[in-house]
Amino acid sequence: MAITLTNPSGLPAVDAYRQVSIATGSKLISVAGQVAWDAEGTTVGEGDLAAQVEQCYLNVNTALTAVGATFADVTRLTVYVVDWTPDKMPLFLEGAMRAGARLGATPVPPGTLLGVAALDVPEHLVEIEATAVID
């Protein structure tokens, strides 16, 4: 495995992600921001943050798999959520956990969650982009 995830002493241990990733592979993979579209371009879970988070993670996984990578190879996630407020965290985590259960993975690389005013279309509530490294 090309990625080691860690929570260094002196930084808080956060359950939802790790503070640092160490990459030792040789191929850098950048996955464009994935929204809650199915393969036909239909929005999944309109108005349902947890369902959209789940679909975004599944779409990131599809992109990773297509190039020979998995969530174990992800060094960083960036998440954009429309009108983010901290009270939405349980729905976000529910969607992430559902995706993790479906994928048999726990996607916890370092990440940044940003609140935004809007995404590409009004029905999209979340977008997730990923960076990965493989040998």
Side-chain angles (χ1 to χ4, degrees):
M1 183 180 322
I3 306 300
T4 301
L5 301 176
T6 185
N7 280 320
S9 62
L11 294 176
V14 180
D15 290 335
Y17 62 91
R18 300 301 174 264
Q19 296 283 5
V20 176
S21 64
I22 304 160
T24 58
S26 59
K27 293 181 184 177
L28 179 65
I29 299 163
S30 297
V31 177
Q34 297 299 304
V35 294
W37 277 330
D38 64 14
E40 288 75 42
T42 302
T43 298
V44 173
E46 190 167 339
D48 182 342
L49 180 61
Q52 289 201 17
V53 168
E54 179 181 11
Q55 186 63 44
C56 290
Y57 274 104
L58 296 175
N59 290 348
V60 168
N61 185 69
T62 297
L64 292 169
T65 301
V67 296
T70 70
F71 266 102
D73 302 308
V74 173
T75 63
R76 179 167 185 72
L77 293 174
T78 304
V79 179
Y80 305 91
V81 182
V82 174
D83 297 325
W84 175 257
T85 55
D87 64 308
K88 294 179 182 179
M89 184 59 83
L91 291 172
F92 179 85
L93 293 175
E94 177 187 334
M97 295 297 214
R98 289 189 336 214
R102 288 180 65 180
L103 299 171
T106 305
V108 294
T112 300
L113 189 152
L114 300 166
V116 296
L119 292 170
D120 59 331
V121 295
E123 54 270 11
H124 288 159
L125 303 175
V126 63
E127 182 171 326
I128 301 174
E129 61 186 29
T131 303
V133 173
I134 58 176
D135 291 322

